[in-house]
Amino acid sequence: MNLFLILISSSLVSNVVLSRFLGICPFLGVSKKTDTAFGMGLAVLFVITIATAVTYSINEIFLKPTGIFKIDLTYLQTIVFILVIAALVQFVEMFLKKYIVSLYESLGVYLPLITTNCAVLGVALSVVEEYTFVEAICYGVGTSIGFLISIVLLASIRERNEYNDIPESFKGMPITLITAGLMAITFFGFSGMVK
């Protein structure tokens, strides 16, 4: 039951994009088409889940004072975590370039930006102190699913907005930001579900 609560809380209640405002760059940049947004969401799902497992293990085994070296190296967390995330993103980029070329080309510059996506680093940094290994993985998956839900929802709304009669001054990014704000208000309604 605790894992289910962590999953629901991290995906809906504490949505990484709409309530914590992390990962806004790919959220706004890749959400023009639903299929591209779905591909980005799956890439982020893979990177966050694997990064959570790897960074948690590295933190427990090497960086904590109770680890192998018996000294406190937790001040290196950010640097080590960024290196792990960068390696995972490179793996995803090589895989997409070889096997799913159309998605690789449609993601363009936003795929390497997963490396600097603060949502990925924010999840990695937040799970190392708060959860056990299994709970951390569940938190990472839930956060990724929340990112996937929000980016696909925004992309589908943006696709529909192309056919709506929108005033000229609101076309493009202004209506997207208004839509994202309304989505954040909507997701705020989940805040009473889980503490």
Side-chain angles (χ1 to χ4, degrees):
M1 187 62 171
N2 187 36
L3 295 178
F4 180 72
L5 290 176
I6 291 171
L7 188 68
I8 294 298
S9 174
S10 60
S11 62
L12 297 177
V13 178
S14 302
N15 187 287
V16 70
V17 177
L18 300 173
S19 69
R20 293 173 49 199
F21 306 111
L22 298 174
I24 298 292
C25 179
F27 176 67
L28 295 175
V30 184
S31 61
K32 292 178 183 168
K33 296 197 178 297
T34 307
D35 54 346
T36 308
F38 186 73
M40 175 58 97
L42 289 179
V44 168
L45 175 70
F46 175 79
V47 170
I48 286 182
T49 303
I50 303 299
T52 301
V54 172
T55 55
Y56 187 91
S57 301
I58 287 173
N59 189 60
E60 290 295 317
I61 296 170
F62 299 109
L63 302 180
K64 278 191 169 181
T66 56
I68 290 176
F69 300 122
K70 303 294 184 207
I71 55 175
D72 187 13
L73 298 174
T74 53
Y75 63 90
L76 295 173
Q77 279 179 342
T78 305
I79 296 168
V80 171
F81 291 1
I82 288 174
L83 291 174
V84 167
I85 292 165
L88 287 171
V89 170
Q90 287 300 312
F91 173 73
V92 169
E93 190 172 0
M94 289 186 303
F95 177 81
L96 291 178
K97 190 174 186 179
K98 183 163 178 86
Y99 295 109
I100 311 174
V101 179
S102 61
L103 181 60
Y104 174 78
E105 290 172 354
S106 65
L107 290 176
V109 71
Y110 292 101
L111 187 59
L113 283 178
I114 296 176
T115 303
T116 58
N117 187 345
C118 53
V120 180
L121 185 60
V123 170
L125 289 172
S126 67
V127 299
V128 292
E129 298 298 326
E130 206 172 319
Y131 297 113
T132 65
F133 182 75
V134 175
E135 291 173 343
I137 298 297
C138 191
Y139 182 81
V141 169
T143 302
S144 306
I145 290 171
F147 181 84
L148 178 67
I149 290 169
S150 57
I151 196 169
V152 169
L153 279 174
L154 182 64
S156 62
I157 293 170
R158 285 180 77 175
E159 282 183 352
R160 290 199 59 165
N161 278 345
E162 288 181 19
Y163 303 107
N164 292 338
D165 187 24
I166 298 172
E168 192 63 35
S169 60
F170 284 104
K171 286 186 178 178
M173 196 50 69
I175 194 66
T176 302
L177 292 174
I178 291 169
T179 304
L182 292 172
M183 285 175 60
I185 291 170
T186 304
F187 271 71
F188 184 71
F190 292 118
S191 63
M193 286 177 50
V194 180
K195 288 188 178 189

